[in-house]
Amino acid sequence: MQIEEMEFAIIAAGEGSRLRKEGFNLPKPLLPLHGVPLIERLIRVFAAEGAQQVHVIINRQSPELKLFLETGAFEVPIVLIEEDTASSLHSFALLVENNPNWSSCCLTTTDTVFRPHEFHAYLEAFQQQQDADAFMAVTPFIDDESPLYVHTDQKLRIEAFLDKASEDTKYVSGGIYCFRQPAMDCALRSVAAGNSRMRNFQRALLESNLRVNAFVFEKVVDIDHLKDRIVAEQFLSEEVS
């Protein structure tokens, strides 16, 4: 499916300090799954979905990652921003500031591992749900150290983002987002208001009375530790077995 008028972006500006403590001495986006670095895998998935280019934001302490992105033979051009930011939200806001012509975008963090066919269905659903200002991947699979719980109604409209689960909360955030212009504008306002976490921005979307819908992925694996790579590789192997 060719995605019209949508940009694709990856936040790869984190330090990856937990992986370094465990002996992986390269930036987290270069951690390989089945021999393919995390960030290359994302770029390949985006290219397969019709991305004309991929925007990537990295920090200034990642020369190996910068070199990889500048010299790699990718299917699509890489638009690179090198900047130290205070949080993922600040990284997203910088992407929006640098691209005021975006009408919609798909954003992921670099350590989010998902099945391509579910991602394809997610993008198709976003295109169909034109009334959604924001479209969040959610999953019942919880492996994050500090998950953001997502409460929805029966039609998967998001009603609350919670730090702790309630009895009827089924999902957590998957770290994959699609946004239209009103949501991107809200990100800029959220940073200006002093917010410094993606979850607080997501709450601001609801406070601004924007329509925020969810799409359920069977499983999304978050890479924080080396042991998570084993889980992710097993998960991806299940897809092709």
Side-chain angles (χ1 to χ4, degrees):
M1 177 182 66
Q2 182 73 24
I3 302 299
E4 300 294 338
E5 298 181 358
M6 172 175 276
E7 296 291 337
F8 290 79
I10 302 170
I11 296 175
E15 297 179 357
S17 56
R18 284 170 288 196
L19 287 176
R20 289 185 184 275
K21 289 179 180 177
E22 295 173 5
F24 184 74
N25 293 319
L26 293 173
K28 183 194 284 191
L30 297 180
L31 182 75
L33 297 182
H34 295 307
V36 180
L38 287 169
I39 197 159
E40 181 176 348
R41 182 178 181 276
L42 284 174
I43 293 168
R44 288 182 182 181
V45 171
F46 289 171
E49 292 297 339
Q52 299 301 301
Q53 58 190 0
V54 176
H55 300 259
V56 182
I57 181 167
I58 68 173
N59 63 47
R60 295 185 183 277
Q61 288 73 50
S62 302
E64 305 97 335
L65 178 57
K66 181 181 180 182
L67 180 65
F68 180 79
L69 292 169
E70 289 181 336
T71 62
F74 303 110
E75 296 93 332
V76 293
I78 305 301
V79 182
L80 187 61
I81 297 177
E82 188 182 14
E83 189 64 60
D84 294 332
T85 56
S87 69
S88 293
L89 174 57
H90 285 80
S91 294
F92 176 45
L94 186 58
L95 286 163
V96 173
E97 288 174 357
N98 285 5
N99 298 279
N101 59 328
W102 283 4
S103 60
S104 64
C105 73
C106 178
L107 175 77
T108 72
T109 52
T110 193
D111 53 0
T112 300
V113 180
F114 50 85
R115 289 185 172 129
H117 75 272
E118 286 192 295
F119 184 68
H120 178 81
Y122 166 72
L123 293 180
E124 282 194 327
F126 177 63
Q127 294 296 311
Q128 293 163 4
Q129 297 184 31
Q130 290 292 318
D131 61 342
D133 299 301
F135 200 51
M136 310 302 199
V138 299
T139 178
F141 177 75
I142 303 174
D143 78 330
D144 198 304
E145 292 181 343
S146 55
L148 176 63
Y149 295 91
V150 182
H151 182 73
T152 71
D153 65 14
Q154 291 184 342
K155 295 183 178 180
L156 292 178
R157 181 165 181 172
I158 295 177
E159 298 179 326
F161 294 100
L162 308 167
D163 291 324
K164 296 183 179 180
S166 62
E167 286 187 8
D168 53 352
T169 301
K170 301 177 182 178
Y171 308 116
V172 296
S173 173
I176 310 165
Y177 319 93
C178 281
F179 297 116
R180 293 192 168 95
Q181 191 68 56
M184 292 186 278
D185 291 342
C186 183
L188 298 180
R189 294 195 304 271
S190 188
V191 168
N195 284 331
S196 60
R197 302 186 72 188
M198 283 293 287
R199 61 183 59 192
N200 290 333
F201 155 58
Q202 291 176 79
R203 291 171 177 134
L205 292 169
L206 299 178
E207 292 163 3
S208 299
N209 295 315
L210 297 182
R211 186 175 186 92
V212 186
N213 293 348
F215 181 91
V216 181
F217 282 62
E218 178 185 345
K219 184 185 288 188
V220 178
V221 178
D222 184 67
I223 305 290
D224 287 320
H225 299 279
L226 286 178
K227 64 179 177 61
D228 297 329
R229 176 169 60 177
I230 299 171
V231 175
E233 288 183 336
Q234 290 175 340
F235 167 53
L236 294 176
S237 294
E238 293 167 5
E239 178 187 358
V240 297
S241 60

